[in-house]
Structures are given as structure tokens and as C-alpha cells.
Amino acid sequence: MPKQARVEPIRDIGELKDNIVGWNVIDESQPDNETVVSSHDTEQEAIKAAEEFEQQET
């Protein structure tokens, strides 16, 4: 079964605005058991990590 990942922002919800403080890579290969694979400072780093995760052998 191929691995599938998505990138989601990590949000810090303040009083006046919603700030993105980082990015999570989520393993969604098993929809009933999604897990955070890694966290990153930039969206670009998270996208690269998600692509690498999807290429890994199971």
C-alpha cells in the first residue's frame, strides 16, 4: 500500500489573529489512524519531507 502524506499548518490562535508557527507532515495512509510524521519551520521543508515520506519503502 503506498504511503500518503499531507502538510498542515500549526496555528497559534492569539487574541487578534491566527498565526502559523510551523508545519506538520501527517501520514494519512490509514485514514482511521492519521499520525504526525514530522514538524517543520517552513512549508517548503514540510513539503519536501512529505514527498520523501511518500517515497519510503514500507
Side-chain angles (χ1 to χ4, degrees), residues 4-6 8 24-39 53:
Q4 186 171 344
R6 73 173 183 272
E8 287 188 348
N24 282 332
V25 176
I26 310 290
D27 176 2
E28 58 180 20
S29 302
Q30 298 177 14
D32 295 335
N33 189 27
E34 293 182 350
T35 56
V36 175
V37 176
S38 59
S39 299
F53 174 78

